[in-house]
Amino acid sequence: MKLYSLTLIEAEKLIQKKDVKPLEIVESVMERINEVEDRIKAYITLTFDVATENPGIPVAVKDNICTKGIKTTCASKILYNFVPPYDATVIKKLKEKNYALIGKTNLDEFAMGSSTENSAFFTTRNPWDLDRVPGGSSGGSAACVAADMCIAALGSDTGGSIRQPASFCGVVGLKPTYGRVSRYGLVAFASSLDQIGPITKTVKDAAYLLEIISGKDEMDSTSAPVKVERFTEALTGEISGLKIALPKEYFSEGLDPEVKESVLSAVRMLEAEGAFVEEVSLPHTEYAISTYYIVAPAEASSNLARYDGVKYGYRAEKYEDLIDMYFKTRSQGFGDEVKRRIMLGTYSLASGYYDAYYLRAKKVRTLIRQDFEKVFERFDVIITPTSPTAAFKIGERVSDPLTMYLSDIFTVSANLVGIPAISIPCGLTEQGLPIGLQVMGNFFDEKTILNVAYRLETMIDFRKRYSPKL
Ligand code: GLN
């Protein structure tokens, strides 16, 4: 076995026992990157120098998470040369563990998208089929985990950006409860929805990486004062008596029959192990996408106001006065999707439309939360597909933003509500593309969703059975 295919837990054990040196793992991962990165293009910046000077387990980080002294571009022209003067809290925590940054991964510009096609630089390819997207927006992170170009990775999830690419690339992606992980140093997209989380080869790795990055942080007032739990200890695989809800709105039209069958067959496995399964309703599901696409752009329009060419990043070369400089910098610096969101957001926050759109969306958000709270009074977890289809072809949805937005139909609710959710691979389509299954849990109950995911992973054994042919 090559060292690059180690999981995080395996790598730690080997290093502890002094069977391998961190540098050997770094070198193996670098070799793997040299072998396949040309075809996949998962990385915006490679940091081989950092990883070899101070070797540790090589971790890849989405390029919207600030790394001191290392370019952080958000895959945008407007930040093409931005070098942060500080580390995000999650990066500090990785450094405390002596992990090594191996590179910064590609994403949709400012994390807006579901395919990495909105990156200002290039599109990442899906390791399972190079003509297909890896999902997004954390497509670079998911692709490099799937292709063994890192041991584990971090992504961010505002409406599905960890889980959907994890599902397209056949790896594990976890969006923690809102507030579980500090957002300090994560470039803000929609602050009430954004969370950083792990993208890993196994559920155990996700649990372990979550332990490392979690915790209250005085630099982020929305980080929650809850204690950091030992998530790995919750992975007993014991699920008898577990109560599973299957929301009927997530298994209806628009769902690819192969995806449906694969998810339901995994649920039947849990049932055979003594779990209790019942169909439920989350009646406001049909409003989730519209609510998300009011709330997220509104917050984004405000968060992105800071990119004006004054303090950092790109500035237009020729302009007449200050206003013209702002205008030209933003016109040239932002891509189409980012502009679309800024305009949508500004519109729904304008005084004449605020009540009709933004305020209404906030009310519907509460109704969606109440749907979930009601289900969690009686159930431990909710299981759904992660995305209605497997990975789509590059170019297939770029000219149709609405179809693109619909690939997040099953993931946005967890962000609107704030609950944790994990995606694990549960099978392959006939064409050989990974299918993702999502487990959602109650607030701060990552332990339960991780344990259910762990049990399924043991039974399905996806990683042993299938791997991308590269
Ligand atoms: N695809 C969704 C969007 O475009 C979610 C993105 C994310 O989670 N960052 O907004």
Side-chain angles (χ1 to χ4, degrees), residues 324-381:
D324 193 45
M325 191 281 280
Y326 290 160
F327 184 79
K328 293 210 166 93
T329 296
R330 289 169 67 84
S331 303
Q332 295 163 16
F334 289 133
D336 289 349
E337 182 62 28
V338 174
K339 287 179 188 159
R340 184 178 297 126
R341 306 272 179 122
I342 292 173
M343 287 188 281
L344 279 171
T346 313
Y347 183 85
S348 67
L349 290 174
S351 61
Y353 299 102
Y354 183 90
D355 288 0
Y357 293 104
Y358 186 69
L359 193 63
R360 178 66 57 91
K362 285 216 305 190
K363 288 179 179 166
V364 180
R365 186 176 183 179
T366 303
L367 294 174
I368 294 172
R369 196 187 68 226
Q370 288 168 348
D371 282 357
F372 279 80
E373 283 170 348
K374 230 172 161 178
V375 167
F376 285 124
E377 280 170 14
R378 293 179 45 226
F379 294 88
D380 300 304
V381 296

Short mmCIF file of all heavy atoms in Angstrom, two decimals, residues 324-381:
data_model
loop_
_atom_site.label_atom_id
_atom_site.label_comp_id
_atom_site.label_asym_id
_atom_site.label_seq_id
_atom_site.Cartn_x
_atom_site.Cartn_y
_atom_site.Cartn_z
N ASP A 324 -15.49 55.67 -9.66
CA ASP A 324 -15.17 54.94 -10.89
C ASP A 324 -14.21 53.78 -10.58
O ASP A 324 -14.30 52.70 -11.17
CB ASP A 324 -14.55 55.92 -11.91
CG ASP A 324 -14.48 55.29 -13.29
OD1 ASP A 324 -15.48 54.67 -13.72
OD2 ASP A 324 -13.42 55.41 -13.94
N MET A 325 -13.31 54.01 -9.64
CA MET A 325 -12.37 52.94 -9.25
C MET A 325 -13.14 51.76 -8.63
O MET A 325 -12.93 50.61 -8.99
CB MET A 325 -11.33 53.51 -8.26
CG MET A 325 -10.15 52.58 -7.98
SD MET A 325 -10.50 51.27 -6.82
CE MET A 325 -10.36 52.17 -5.27
N TYR A 326 -14.06 52.08 -7.70
CA TYR A 326 -14.91 51.02 -7.11
C TYR A 326 -15.62 50.27 -8.23
O TYR A 326 -15.65 49.04 -8.27
CB TYR A 326 -16.02 51.60 -6.24
CG TYR A 326 -15.62 52.24 -4.93
CD1 TYR A 326 -16.49 53.14 -4.31
CD2 TYR A 326 -14.42 51.92 -4.29
CE1 TYR A 326 -16.17 53.73 -3.10
CE2 TYR A 326 -14.10 52.52 -3.07
CZ TYR A 326 -14.97 53.42 -2.48
OH TYR A 326 -14.68 54.00 -1.30
N PHE A 327 -16.23 51.02 -9.09
CA PHE A 327 -17.08 50.46 -10.13
C PHE A 327 -16.28 49.53 -11.04
O PHE A 327 -16.67 48.38 -11.27
CB PHE A 327 -17.69 51.62 -10.93
CG PHE A 327 -18.65 51.17 -11.98
CD1 PHE A 327 -19.95 50.79 -11.64
CD2 PHE A 327 -18.27 51.10 -13.32
CE1 PHE A 327 -20.84 50.35 -12.61
CE2 PHE A 327 -19.15 50.66 -14.29
CZ PHE A 327 -20.44 50.29 -13.93
N LYS A 328 -15.15 50.02 -11.51
CA LYS A 328 -14.36 49.21 -12.44
C LYS A 328 -13.73 48.01 -11.75
O LYS A 328 -13.67 46.92 -12.31
CB LYS A 328 -13.28 50.07 -13.11
CG LYS A 328 -13.88 51.12 -14.03
CD LYS A 328 -12.94 51.46 -15.19
CE LYS A 328 -13.66 52.24 -16.28
NZ LYS A 328 -13.56 53.69 -16.14
N THR A 329 -13.25 48.23 -10.53
CA THR A 329 -12.63 47.12 -9.79
C THR A 329 -13.63 45.99 -9.60
O THR A 329 -13.32 44.82 -9.88
CB THR A 329 -12.16 47.61 -8.40
OG1 THR A 329 -11.13 48.57 -8.60
CG2 THR A 329 -11.63 46.46 -7.56
N ARG A 330 -14.83 46.32 -9.18
CA ARG A 330 -15.83 45.28 -8.92
C ARG A 330 -16.36 44.67 -10.22
O ARG A 330 -16.62 43.47 -10.28
CB ARG A 330 -16.95 45.83 -8.03
CG ARG A 330 -16.46 46.06 -6.59
CD ARG A 330 -17.44 46.85 -5.75
NE ARG A 330 -18.70 46.16 -5.47
CZ ARG A 330 -18.90 45.29 -4.48
NH1 ARG A 330 -17.90 44.96 -3.68
NH2 ARG A 330 -20.08 44.73 -4.29
N SER A 331 -16.51 45.49 -11.24
CA SER A 331 -16.98 44.95 -12.53
C SER A 331 -15.97 43.96 -13.09
O SER A 331 -16.35 42.91 -13.61
CB SER A 331 -17.16 46.06 -13.57
OG SER A 331 -18.04 47.02 -13.08
N GLN A 332 -14.70 44.30 -12.98
CA GLN A 332 -13.66 43.43 -13.56
C GLN A 332 -13.28 42.28 -12.62
O GLN A 332 -12.86 41.23 -13.07
CB GLN A 332 -12.40 44.26 -13.87
CG GLN A 332 -12.62 45.31 -14.95
CD GLN A 332 -11.52 46.38 -14.96
OE1 GLN A 332 -10.46 46.20 -14.37
NE2 GLN A 332 -11.79 47.49 -15.62
N GLY A 333 -13.39 42.53 -11.32
CA GLY A 333 -12.88 41.56 -10.34
C GLY A 333 -13.80 40.40 -10.03
O GLY A 333 -13.35 39.29 -9.73
N PHE A 334 -15.12 40.63 -10.07
CA PHE A 334 -16.07 39.56 -9.75
C PHE A 334 -16.55 38.84 -11.00
O PHE A 334 -16.75 39.46 -12.05
CB PHE A 334 -17.31 40.14 -9.06
CG PHE A 334 -17.11 40.63 -7.66
CD1 PHE A 334 -17.61 41.88 -7.27
CD2 PHE A 334 -16.45 39.86 -6.71
CE1 PHE A 334 -17.44 42.33 -5.96
CE2 PHE A 334 -16.28 40.32 -5.40
CZ PHE A 334 -16.78 41.56 -5.04
N GLY A 335 -16.79 37.55 -10.88
CA GLY A 335 -17.37 36.76 -11.98
C GLY A 335 -18.90 36.90 -12.01
O GLY A 335 -19.51 37.50 -11.12
N ASP A 336 -19.49 36.32 -13.05
CA ASP A 336 -20.94 36.49 -13.27
C ASP A 336 -21.81 36.00 -12.12
O ASP A 336 -22.78 36.65 -11.75
CB ASP A 336 -21.36 35.71 -14.53
CG ASP A 336 -20.84 36.38 -15.79
OD1 ASP A 336 -20.35 37.53 -15.69
OD2 ASP A 336 -20.91 35.76 -16.86
N GLU A 337 -21.49 34.83 -11.57
CA GLU A 337 -22.35 34.29 -10.52
C GLU A 337 -22.30 35.18 -9.28
O GLU A 337 -23.32 35.44 -8.64
CB GLU A 337 -21.95 32.85 -10.18
CG GLU A 337 -22.83 32.17 -9.12
CD GLU A 337 -24.29 32.03 -9.55
OE1 GLU A 337 -24.59 31.95 -10.75
OE2 GLU A 337 -25.16 32.01 -8.65
N VAL A 338 -21.12 35.66 -8.95
CA VAL A 338 -20.98 36.52 -7.77
C VAL A 338 -21.77 37.82 -7.99
O VAL A 338 -22.49 38.29 -7.10
CB VAL A 338 -19.49 36.79 -7.47
CG1 VAL A 338 -19.34 37.80 -6.34
CG2 VAL A 338 -18.78 35.49 -7.13
N LYS A 339 -21.68 38.36 -9.19
CA LYS A 339 -22.45 39.58 -9.49
C LYS A 339 -23.94 39.30 -9.40
O LYS A 339 -24.71 40.12 -8.88
CB LYS A 339 -22.11 40.08 -10.90
CG LYS A 339 -20.74 40.72 -10.97
CD LYS A 339 -20.46 41.17 -12.40
CE LYS A 339 -19.03 41.63 -12.54
NZ LYS A 339 -18.58 41.62 -13.92
N ARG A 340 -24.35 38.15 -9.92
CA ARG A 340 -25.77 37.80 -9.86
C ARG A 340 -26.24 37.78 -8.40
O ARG A 340 -27.28 38.32 -8.05
CB ARG A 340 -25.98 36.43 -10.51
CG ARG A 340 -27.42 36.00 -10.57
CD ARG A 340 -27.57 34.65 -11.27
NE ARG A 340 -27.13 34.68 -12.64
CZ ARG A 340 -26.23 33.86 -13.18
NH1 ARG A 340 -25.69 32.90 -12.47
NH2 ARG A 340 -25.88 33.98 -14.44
N ARG A 341 -25.43 37.17 -7.51
CA ARG A 341 -25.83 37.08 -6.10
C ARG A 341 -25.86 38.47 -5.45
O ARG A 341 -26.73 38.76 -4.65
CB ARG A 341 -24.86 36.19 -5.33
CG ARG A 341 -24.66 34.81 -5.92
CD ARG A 341 -25.65 33.81 -5.42
NE ARG A 341 -25.41 32.53 -6.05
CZ ARG A 341 -25.14 31.39 -5.40
NH1 ARG A 341 -25.12 31.38 -4.09
NH2 ARG A 341 -24.94 30.27 -6.05
N ILE A 342 -24.86 39.29 -5.77
CA ILE A 342 -24.83 40.63 -5.17
C ILE A 342 -26.08 41.41 -5.60
O ILE A 342 -26.72 42.07 -4.78
CB ILE A 342 -23.54 41.39 -5.57
CG1 ILE A 342 -22.32 40.71 -4.92
CG2 ILE A 342 -23.62 42.85 -5.14
CD1 ILE A 342 -20.97 41.27 -5.38
N MET A 343 -26.44 41.27 -6.85
CA MET A 343 -27.62 42.01 -7.32
C MET A 343 -28.91 41.47 -6.70
O MET A 343 -29.75 42.23 -6.24
CB MET A 343 -27.69 41.98 -8.85
CG MET A 343 -26.64 42.89 -9.46
SD MET A 343 -26.81 43.09 -11.23
CE MET A 343 -26.08 41.58 -11.81
N LEU A 344 -29.02 40.14 -6.64
CA LEU A 344 -30.20 39.54 -6.00
C LEU A 344 -30.31 39.99 -4.54
O LEU A 344 -31.38 40.34 -4.06
CB LEU A 344 -30.10 38.01 -6.01
CG LEU A 344 -30.48 37.26 -7.28
CD1 LEU A 344 -30.10 35.79 -7.14
CD2 LEU A 344 -31.97 37.39 -7.53
N GLY A 345 -29.17 39.95 -3.87
CA GLY A 345 -29.16 40.28 -2.44
C GLY A 345 -29.46 41.74 -2.19
O GLY A 345 -30.23 42.09 -1.28
N THR A 346 -28.89 42.61 -3.01
CA THR A 346 -29.14 44.04 -2.84
C THR A 346 -30.61 44.35 -3.08
O THR A 346 -31.23 45.15 -2.38
CB THR A 346 -28.26 44.84 -3.83
OG1 THR A 346 -26.94 44.31 -3.77
CG2 THR A 346 -28.21 46.30 -3.48
N TYR A 347 -31.16 43.65 -4.05
CA TYR A 347 -32.56 43.84 -4.41
C TYR A 347 -33.47 43.46 -3.23
O TYR A 347 -34.34 44.23 -2.81
CB TYR A 347 -32.87 42.97 -5.62
CG TYR A 347 -34.25 43.09 -6.17
CD1 TYR A 347 -34.58 44.08 -7.09
CD2 TYR A 347 -35.25 42.19 -5.80
CE1 TYR A 347 -35.85 44.19 -7.60
CE2 TYR A 347 -36.53 42.29 -6.31
CZ TYR A 347 -36.83 43.29 -7.21
OH TYR A 347 -38.10 43.38 -7.73
N SER A 348 -33.23 42.28 -2.66
CA SER A 348 -34.16 41.83 -1.62
C SER A 348 -33.98 42.59 -0.31
O SER A 348 -34.84 42.55 0.56
CB SER A 348 -34.04 40.32 -1.39
OG SER A 348 -32.79 40.02 -0.85
N LEU A 349 -32.85 43.30 -0.18
CA LEU A 349 -32.66 44.10 1.04
C LEU A 349 -33.08 45.56 0.84
O LEU A 349 -33.15 46.33 1.79
CB LEU A 349 -31.18 44.07 1.46
CG LEU A 349 -30.66 42.74 2.01
CD1 LEU A 349 -29.15 42.83 2.25
CD2 LEU A 349 -31.36 42.36 3.31
N ALA A 350 -33.39 45.94 -0.41
CA ALA A 350 -33.76 47.34 -0.67
C ALA A 350 -35.06 47.67 0.07
O ALA A 350 -35.92 46.81 0.23
CB ALA A 350 -33.94 47.53 -2.17
N SER A 351 -35.19 48.91 0.51
CA SER A 351 -36.30 49.23 1.42
C SER A 351 -37.66 48.85 0.82
O SER A 351 -38.53 48.37 1.52
CB SER A 351 -36.25 50.69 1.83
OG SER A 351 -36.38 51.50 0.69
N GLY A 352 -37.83 49.00 -0.47
CA GLY A 352 -39.12 48.69 -1.06
C GLY A 352 -39.43 47.20 -1.14
O GLY A 352 -40.59 46.82 -1.30
N TYR A 353 -38.41 46.37 -1.02
CA TYR A 353 -38.63 44.92 -1.21
C TYR A 353 -38.32 44.09 0.02
O TYR A 353 -38.58 42.91 0.06
CB TYR A 353 -37.77 44.43 -2.39
CG TYR A 353 -38.13 45.10 -3.67
CD1 TYR A 353 -37.36 46.13 -4.19
CD2 TYR A 353 -39.30 44.74 -4.34
CE1 TYR A 353 -37.72 46.76 -5.36
CE2 TYR A 353 -39.67 45.37 -5.51
CZ TYR A 353 -38.87 46.39 -6.02
OH TYR A 353 -39.23 47.01 -7.17
N TYR A 354 -37.74 44.74 1.02
CA TYR A 354 -37.29 44.04 2.22
C TYR A 354 -38.40 43.18 2.83
O TYR A 354 -38.23 41.99 3.07
CB TYR A 354 -36.79 45.08 3.23
CG TYR A 354 -36.23 44.49 4.50
CD1 TYR A 354 -34.88 44.18 4.62
CD2 TYR A 354 -37.06 44.24 5.60
CE1 TYR A 354 -34.36 43.65 5.78
CE2 TYR A 354 -36.55 43.71 6.77
CZ TYR A 354 -35.21 43.42 6.85
OH TYR A 354 -34.71 42.88 8.00
N ASP A 355 -39.56 43.79 3.05
CA ASP A 355 -40.66 43.05 3.69
C ASP A 355 -41.13 41.89 2.83
O ASP A 355 -41.41 40.80 3.32
CB ASP A 355 -41.84 43.98 3.95
CG ASP A 355 -41.54 44.95 5.08
OD1 ASP A 355 -40.41 44.87 5.64
OD2 ASP A 355 -42.41 45.77 5.40
N ALA A 356 -41.21 42.14 1.53
CA ALA A 356 -41.77 41.12 0.63
C ALA A 356 -40.81 39.95 0.45
O ALA A 356 -41.25 38.82 0.27
CB ALA A 356 -42.09 41.74 -0.72
N TYR A 357 -39.50 40.21 0.49
CA TYR A 357 -38.55 39.13 0.23
C TYR A 357 -37.75 38.72 1.46
O TYR A 357 -37.92 37.63 1.99
CB TYR A 357 -37.60 39.51 -0.92
CG TYR A 357 -38.34 39.60 -2.23
CD1 TYR A 357 -38.65 40.85 -2.77
CD2 TYR A 357 -38.74 38.45 -2.90
CE1 TYR A 357 -39.35 40.93 -3.97
CE2 TYR A 357 -39.43 38.53 -4.10
CZ TYR A 357 -39.73 39.78 -4.63
OH TYR A 357 -40.42 39.85 -5.81
N TYR A 358 -36.89 39.61 1.93
CA TYR A 358 -35.98 39.20 3.00
C TYR A 358 -36.73 38.82 4.28
O TYR A 358 -36.52 37.75 4.85
CB TYR A 358 -34.95 40.30 3.28
CG TYR A 358 -33.90 39.84 4.26
CD1 TYR A 358 -32.97 38.86 3.92
CD2 TYR A 358 -33.90 40.34 5.56
CE1 TYR A 358 -32.05 38.41 4.83
CE2 TYR A 358 -32.97 39.88 6.48
CZ TYR A 358 -32.05 38.92 6.11
OH TYR A 358 -31.14 38.46 7.03
N LEU A 359 -37.63 39.69 4.70
CA LEU A 359 -38.36 39.42 5.94
C LEU A 359 -39.21 38.15 5.81
O LEU A 359 -39.28 37.33 6.72
CB LEU A 359 -39.25 40.63 6.28
CG LEU A 359 -39.82 40.64 7.68
CD1 LEU A 359 -38.70 40.71 8.72
CD2 LEU A 359 -40.78 41.83 7.87
N ARG A 360 -39.83 38.01 4.63
CA ARG A 360 -40.64 36.82 4.39
C ARG A 360 -39.76 35.56 4.45
O ARG A 360 -40.14 34.55 5.05
CB ARG A 360 -41.32 36.96 3.01
CG ARG A 360 -42.17 35.78 2.57
CD ARG A 360 -43.39 35.57 3.44
NE ARG A 360 -44.24 36.73 3.50
CZ ARG A 360 -45.25 36.98 2.67
NH1 ARG A 360 -45.55 36.12 1.73
NH2 ARG A 360 -45.99 38.06 2.80
N ALA A 361 -38.59 35.64 3.85
CA ALA A 361 -37.68 34.48 3.84
C ALA A 361 -37.27 34.12 5.27
O ALA A 361 -37.16 32.95 5.63
CB ALA A 361 -36.45 34.77 2.99
N LYS A 362 -37.06 35.16 6.10
CA LYS A 362 -36.68 34.86 7.49
C LYS A 362 -37.80 34.12 8.22
O LYS A 362 -37.56 33.23 9.02
CB LYS A 362 -36.36 36.17 8.25
CG LYS A 362 -35.02 36.76 7.86
CD LYS A 362 -34.29 37.43 9.02
CE LYS A 362 -35.12 38.50 9.71
NZ LYS A 362 -34.34 39.28 10.66
N LYS A 363 -39.03 34.50 7.89
CA LYS A 363 -40.17 33.82 8.53
C LYS A 363 -40.27 32.38 8.07
O LYS A 363 -40.52 31.47 8.86
CB LYS A 363 -41.47 34.57 8.21
CG LYS A 363 -41.57 35.90 8.94
CD LYS A 363 -42.85 36.62 8.57
CE LYS A 363 -42.94 37.96 9.32
NZ LYS A 363 -43.98 38.82 8.76
N VAL A 364 -40.07 32.18 6.76
CA VAL A 364 -40.15 30.81 6.25
C VAL A 364 -39.01 29.97 6.83
O VAL A 364 -39.18 28.79 7.13
CB VAL A 364 -40.14 30.79 4.70
CG1 VAL A 364 -40.23 29.35 4.19
CG2 VAL A 364 -41.28 31.62 4.15
N ARG A 365 -37.86 30.61 7.03
CA ARG A 365 -36.73 29.90 7.64
C ARG A 365 -37.14 29.34 9.01
O ARG A 365 -36.80 28.21 9.36
CB ARG A 365 -35.55 30.86 7.76
CG ARG A 365 -34.27 30.21 8.25
CD ARG A 365 -33.12 31.20 8.26
NE ARG A 365 -31.89 30.54 8.66
CZ ARG A 365 -30.71 31.14 8.74
NH1 ARG A 365 -30.59 32.42 8.43
NH2 ARG A 365 -29.63 30.47 9.12
N THR A 366 -37.88 30.14 9.76
CA THR A 366 -38.35 29.67 11.07
C THR A 366 -39.30 28.49 10.91
O THR A 366 -39.23 27.51 11.66
CB THR A 366 -39.06 30.82 11.82
OG1 THR A 366 -38.14 31.90 11.93
CG2 THR A 366 -39.53 30.39 13.19
N LEU A 367 -40.17 28.56 9.92
CA LEU A 367 -41.10 27.44 9.71
C LEU A 367 -40.34 26.16 9.35
O LEU A 367 -40.68 25.07 9.82
CB LEU A 367 -42.10 27.77 8.58
CG LEU A 367 -43.07 28.91 8.88
CD1 LEU A 367 -43.91 29.24 7.65
CD2 LEU A 367 -43.98 28.55 10.06
N ILE A 368 -39.30 26.32 8.54
CA ILE A 368 -38.50 25.14 8.17
C ILE A 368 -37.83 24.57 9.42
O ILE A 368 -37.81 23.36 9.65
CB ILE A 368 -37.45 25.52 7.09
CG1 ILE A 368 -38.16 25.90 5.78
CG2 ILE A 368 -36.45 24.39 6.86
CD1 ILE A 368 -37.27 26.48 4.70
N ARG A 369 -37.32 25.46 10.28
CA ARG A 369 -36.69 24.98 11.51
C ARG A 369 -37.69 24.22 12.37
O ARG A 369 -37.40 23.15 12.92
CB ARG A 369 -36.10 26.15 12.31
CG ARG A 369 -35.12 25.66 13.37
CD ARG A 369 -34.63 26.76 14.29
NE ARG A 369 -35.70 27.24 15.13
CZ ARG A 369 -35.96 28.54 15.35
NH1 ARG A 369 -35.23 29.48 14.78
NH2 ARG A 369 -36.98 28.89 16.13
N GLN A 370 -38.91 24.76 12.45
CA GLN A 370 -39.92 24.09 13.27
C GLN A 370 -40.28 22.70 12.72
O GLN A 370 -40.53 21.78 13.49
CB GLN A 370 -41.16 24.98 13.39
CG GLN A 370 -40.88 26.19 14.29
CD GLN A 370 -41.97 27.25 14.22
OE1 GLN A 370 -42.84 27.23 13.36
NE2 GLN A 370 -41.91 28.21 15.15
N ASP A 371 -40.30 22.56 11.40
CA ASP A 371 -40.52 21.23 10.80
C ASP A 371 -39.51 20.23 11.36
O ASP A 371 -39.85 19.11 11.74
CB ASP A 371 -40.26 21.26 9.28
CG ASP A 371 -41.39 21.86 8.47
OD1 ASP A 371 -42.43 22.23 9.06
OD2 ASP A 371 -41.22 21.96 7.23
N PHE A 372 -38.24 20.64 11.36
CA PHE A 372 -37.17 19.74 11.81
C PHE A 372 -37.27 19.48 13.31
O PHE A 372 -37.10 18.35 13.76
CB PHE A 372 -35.79 20.30 11.44
CG PHE A 372 -35.40 20.04 10.02
CD1 PHE A 372 -35.88 20.83 8.99
CD2 PHE A 372 -34.57 18.97 9.68
CE1 PHE A 372 -35.54 20.58 7.66
CE2 PHE A 372 -34.22 18.71 8.37
CZ PHE A 372 -34.71 19.52 7.35
N GLU A 373 -37.55 20.54 14.08
CA GLU A 373 -37.64 20.36 15.55
C GLU A 373 -38.72 19.33 15.89
O GLU A 373 -38.55 18.51 16.79
CB GLU A 373 -37.93 21.70 16.22
CG GLU A 373 -36.68 22.57 16.30
CD GLU A 373 -36.95 24.01 16.74
OE1 GLU A 373 -38.13 24.43 16.77
OE2 GLU A 373 -35.96 24.72 17.03
N LYS A 374 -39.79 19.40 15.15
CA LYS A 374 -40.90 18.47 15.39
C LYS A 374 -40.47 17.03 15.12
O LYS A 374 -40.77 16.12 15.90
CB LYS A 374 -42.04 18.82 14.44
CG LYS A 374 -43.37 18.94 15.16
CD LYS A 374 -44.36 19.46 14.19
CE LYS A 374 -45.79 19.22 14.59
NZ LYS A 374 -46.65 19.82 13.56
N VAL A 375 -39.77 16.83 14.02
CA VAL A 375 -39.32 15.47 13.70
C VAL A 375 -38.33 14.98 14.75
O VAL A 375 -38.38 13.82 15.19
CB VAL A 375 -38.71 15.42 12.27
CG1 VAL A 375 -37.97 14.11 12.03
CG2 VAL A 375 -39.80 15.62 11.23
N PHE A 376 -37.43 15.86 15.21
CA PHE A 376 -36.44 15.42 16.19
C PHE A 376 -37.03 15.19 17.59
O PHE A 376 -36.37 14.64 18.45
CB PHE A 376 -35.25 16.39 16.24
CG PHE A 376 -34.33 16.25 15.06
CD1 PHE A 376 -34.04 17.33 14.24
CD2 PHE A 376 -33.76 15.02 14.75
CE1 PHE A 376 -33.21 17.19 13.15
CE2 PHE A 376 -32.93 14.87 13.66
CZ PHE A 376 -32.65 15.96 12.85
N GLU A 377 -38.28 15.56 17.80
CA GLU A 377 -38.92 15.18 19.07
C GLU A 377 -39.12 13.67 19.11
O GLU A 377 -39.14 13.06 20.17
CB GLU A 377 -40.30 15.86 19.19
CG GLU A 377 -40.21 17.31 19.63
CD GLU A 377 -41.56 18.03 19.52
OE1 GLU A 377 -42.60 17.33 19.36
OE2 GLU A 377 -41.55 19.27 19.58
N ARG A 378 -39.27 13.07 17.93
CA ARG A 378 -39.58 11.63 17.89
C ARG A 378 -38.48 10.78 17.26
O ARG A 378 -38.52 9.55 17.38
CB ARG A 378 -40.89 11.41 17.12
CG ARG A 378 -42.11 11.96 17.82
CD ARG A 378 -43.38 11.73 17.00
NE ARG A 378 -43.46 10.38 16.46
CZ ARG A 378 -43.79 10.10 15.20
NH1 ARG A 378 -44.05 11.07 14.35
NH2 ARG A 378 -43.85 8.85 14.79
N PHE A 379 -37.55 11.40 16.57
CA PHE A 379 -36.55 10.61 15.83
C PHE A 379 -35.13 11.05 16.17
O PHE A 379 -34.91 12.20 16.56
CB PHE A 379 -36.79 10.75 14.31
CG PHE A 379 -38.08 10.14 13.86
CD1 PHE A 379 -39.25 10.89 13.88
CD2 PHE A 379 -38.13 8.82 13.45
CE1 PHE A 379 -40.45 10.33 13.49
CE2 PHE A 379 -39.33 8.26 13.04
CZ PHE A 379 -40.50 9.00 13.07
N ASP A 380 -34.19 10.12 15.99
CA ASP A 380 -32.78 10.44 16.25
C ASP A 380 -32.10 11.06 15.04
O ASP A 380 -31.27 11.95 15.18
CB ASP A 380 -32.01 9.15 16.62
CG ASP A 380 -32.60 8.50 17.86
OD1 ASP A 380 -32.68 9.17 18.90
OD2 ASP A 380 -33.00 7.31 17.77
N VAL A 381 -32.43 10.55 13.86
CA VAL A 381 -31.79 11.05 12.64
C VAL A 381 -32.79 11.10 11.49
O VAL A 381 -33.83 10.45 11.53
CB VAL A 381 -30.60 10.15 12.19
CG1 VAL A 381 -29.48 10.15 13.21
CG2 VAL A 381 -31.06 8.73 11.89
#
